[in-house]
Amino acid sequence: NAGVTQTPKFQVLKTGQSMTLQCAQDMNHEYMSWYRQDPGMGLRLIHYSVGAGITDQGEVPNGYNVSRSTTEDFPLRLLSAAPSQTSVYFCASGYGGPGDAEAFFGQGTRLTVV
Amino acid sequence: GENVEQHPSTLSVQEGDSAVIKCTYSDSASNYFPWYKQELGKRPQLIIDIRSNVGEKKDQRIAVTLNKTAKHFSLHITETQPEDSAVYFCAAHASGGSYIPTFGRGTSLIVHP
């Protein structure tokens, strides 16, 4: 059971470039989300999805797009990278039921925008 | 929406001492309060959680308490060890409803041998 798989682990982008961070889960979880982690700021929610075909914005959505065409995959797209997007990104998924609300995280992507 | 405040941001203790991390939340609809531990360079992982129908929960050296009236919950680690050094996050959300958790800003716990 792979859990939540996130790729790549490291990435360096030039300002203005675009890229997609991949996230896949094999636990049939309804809920998937993307967070960015910056020093002293904790985990801030970028976008989330409560099921295939449904996405919504979180706390810091600007500059990012998401889609959820399948239950398993939830890619995060950076449209035009900026130095302010230098961060560690985590994808997470969860069942969301009343008996099981634990969030399972991917291994993270350390992104540097130069 | 939910707002979670976490204190302190940094906590330094000697091995064997106890450590307490406190969180407050704003949304009275929240009923699930997990704690995650993130070791350096790793992903956050659940270490303990508590639901709103319980006041305290223990698991070996860690315990969590919840005061729903005051909207605060705390993580207690006894007999700290160097391997407890990590960043700890509290979170709050409505299990079974709006699943997405709101996280506190994290506490960096340093346990000195």
Side-chain angles (χ1 to χ4, degrees), chain A residues 14-86:
Chain A
K14 293 182 178 178
T15 297
Q17 287 185 317
S18 62
M19 79 158 294
T20 300
L21 278 62
Q22 301 292 342
C23 178
Q25 53 93 6
D26 61 0
M27 296 174 281
N28 202 31
H29 285 163
E30 297 175 19
Y31 297 87
M32 298 187 73
S33 50
W34 277 100
Y35 295 88
R36 59 177 290 173
Q37 183 175 23
D38 302 292
M41 300 300 290
L43 294 162
R44 291 186 293 170
L45 183 65
I46 304 171
H47 285 286
Y48 66 97
S49 169
V50 301
I54 305 169
T55 63
D56 208 344
Q57 296 181 350
E59 180 186 355
V60 288
N62 292 340
Y64 308 94
N65 270 358
V66 292
S67 60
R68 183 96 180 269
S69 56
T70 67
T71 299
E72 294 78 19
D73 300 300
F74 191 46
L76 177 72
R77 280 182 286 278
L78 279 70
L79 309 173
S80 177
S84 60
Q85 293 179 303
T86 293

Side-chain angles (χ1 to χ4, degrees), chain A residues 74-107:
Chain A
F74 191 46
L76 177 72
R77 280 182 286 278
L78 279 70
L79 309 173
S80 177
S84 60
Q85 293 179 303
T86 293
S87 187
V88 178
Y89 292 83
F90 286 98
C91 176
S93 73
Y95 173 63
D100 180 6
E102 177 181 355
F104 293 83
F105 288 85
Q107 67 267 40

Side-chain angles (χ1 to χ4, degrees), chain B residues 80-94:
Chain B
T80 53
Q81 300 168 4
E83 52 264 39
D84 294 329
S85 296
V87 177
Y88 292 81
F89 292 98
C90 64
H93 55 110

